[in-house]
């Protein structure tokens, strides 16, 4: 009965070791890795499309992770940015070893920032450290303000939470202040930014936060 728990702990422990090693290697190369997570349809790719032009001065690449399909990677490529599509073979998340394989296939020697758009899922991606320097997640207004209560681990591991689709908030019963307080109960240090990937609201603030973290790592070896 308890063996299931023990096996799972061993897997997670091994992944954490691999993730720490990958982080050290990326830091030594001066490459900042961001892990971006969310539910399907929350607006990850659209947010990236709006964000990338603000990351001027940084050489940026995007790794799109999905169970299948390549439409997201193509969207990023059409904007003129390097992109690669990672297929997880049915897995609902990426772990550190899978991330390493993706980075190796992508080639990162000429990049300053790599953004990993993880598989759309609020459960599994939160459990596996990818080796990223920072974790970000997007919560869209239509999903509801109660998600921090239902998926506490996701909100507890993220350095920044983007509340997206704020332009349609009047059409939904979404309490921003309640949501913020529930996030901070689980993660007092979380940065919360209200954005609209459609209108561009808040994108500059989010992009500036990301640039600051990436540049800090490049200059100081840490974020």
């Amino acid at each position: 009965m308890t063996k299931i728990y023990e096996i799972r702990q061993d897997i997670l422990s091994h992944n954490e070791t691999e993730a720490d090693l990958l982080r050290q290697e990326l830091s030594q190369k001066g490459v900042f890795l961001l892990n971006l997570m969310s539910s399907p349809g929350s607006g990850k790719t659209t947010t990236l499309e709006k964000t990338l032009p603000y990351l001027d001065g940084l050489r940026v690449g995007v790794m799109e992770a999905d169970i299948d399909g390549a439409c997201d990677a193509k969207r990023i490529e059409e904007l003129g940015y390097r992109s690669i599509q990672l297929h997880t073979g049915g897995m609902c998340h990426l772990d550190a070893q899978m991330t390493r394989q993706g980075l190796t296939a992508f080639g990162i020697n000429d990049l300053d920032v790599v953004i990993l758009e993880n598989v759309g899922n609020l459960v599994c991606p939160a459990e596996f450290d990818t080796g990223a320097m920072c974790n970000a997640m997007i919560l869209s207004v239509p999903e509801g303000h109660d998600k921090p209560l239902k998926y506490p681990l996701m909100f507890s591991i993220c350095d920044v939470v983007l509340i997206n689709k704020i332009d349609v908030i009047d059409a939904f019963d979404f309490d921003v202040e309640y949501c913020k307080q529930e996030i901070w109960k689980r993660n007092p240090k979380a940065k919360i930014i209200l954005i609209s990937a459609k209108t561009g609201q808040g994108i500059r603030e989010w992009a500036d936060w990301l640039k600051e973290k990436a540049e800090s790592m490049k200059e100081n070896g840490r974020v």
Side-chain angles (χ1 to χ4, degrees):
M1 295 184 295
T2 58
K3 288 184 178 179
I4 296 176
Y5 175 78
E6 291 172 357
I7 291 173
R8 178 174 178 272
Q9 287 296 96
D10 287 343
I11 292 173
L12 292 177
S13 177
H14 175 71
N15 183 69
E16 289 169 3
T17 301
E18 289 294 316
D20 287 339
L21 180 59
L22 178 58
R23 241 186 312 274
Q24 293 173 15
E25 294 173 3
L26 291 173
S27 180
Q28 291 170 358
K29 293 179 179 180
V31 178
F32 179 87
L33 176 63
L34 174 79
N35 179 29
L36 181 61
M37 301 171 284
S38 79
S39 297
S42 67
K44 288 193 299 298
T45 308
T46 305
T47 297
L48 287 180
E49 289 174 325
K50 287 292 179 68
T51 302
L52 291 171
Y54 287 110
L55 301 180
D56 52 298
L58 293 172
R59 299 169 298 175
V60 184
V62 178
M63 299 200 306
E64 297 282 354
D66 288 292
I67 292 175
D68 206 347
C71 53
D72 290 343
K74 290 179 181 177
R75 287 170 59 181
I76 299 300
E77 286 178 353
E78 288 172 357
L79 292 176
Y81 296 92
R82 281 182 55 190
S83 181
I84 187 173
Q85 185 71 53
L86 308 179
H87 286 167
T88 64
M91 298 291 288
C92 59
H93 65 278
L94 290 184
D95 60 20
Q97 187 58 41
M98 295 162 71
T99 301
R100 181 187 292 279
Q101 292 173 12
L103 291 168
T104 299
F106 196 28
I108 59 173
N109 290 334
D110 59 346
L111 293 176
D112 301 309
V113 175
V114 177
I115 300 175
L116 168 61
E117 183 179 328
N118 215 318
V119 181
N121 186 334
L122 290 183
V123 182
C124 303
E127 297 181 340
F128 289 85
D129 191 340
T130 60
M133 283 71 177
C134 286
N135 291 316
M137 68 95 51
I138 299 175
L139 170 65
S140 65
V141 164
E143 294 175 71
H145 56 238
D146 60 353
K147 291 302 172 288
L149 287 77
K150 296 182 177 181
Y151 303 95
L153 180 59
M154 173 61 74
F155 290 88
S156 69
I157 67 165
C158 286
D159 301 280
V160 60
V161 176
L162 307 178
I163 300 180
N164 189 26
K165 305 186 182 180
I166 203 71
D167 54 296
V168 297
I169 195 167
D170 290 342
F172 295 89
D173 184 21
F174 190 98
D175 189 329
V176 172
E177 290 307 314
Y178 173 83
C179 186
K180 286 182 175 181
Q181 293 305 317
E182 291 302 320
I183 293 171
W184 284 327
K185 283 180 183 177
R186 292 151 183 80
N187 187 353
K189 295 182 179 180
K191 173 78 171 176
I192 301 174
I193 305 174
L194 306 184
I195 70 167
S196 168
K198 181 178 181 179
T199 68
Q201 177 183 345
I203 297 296
R204 166 75 77 173
E205 181 183 358
W206 147 241
D208 286 346
W209 180 92
L210 179 53
K211 284 184 69 174
E212 180 183 347
K213 294 294 183 183
E215 290 170 353
S216 175
M217 190 219 71
K218 200 168 186 65
E219 292 174 6
N220 307 314
R222 62 182 187 278
V223 297

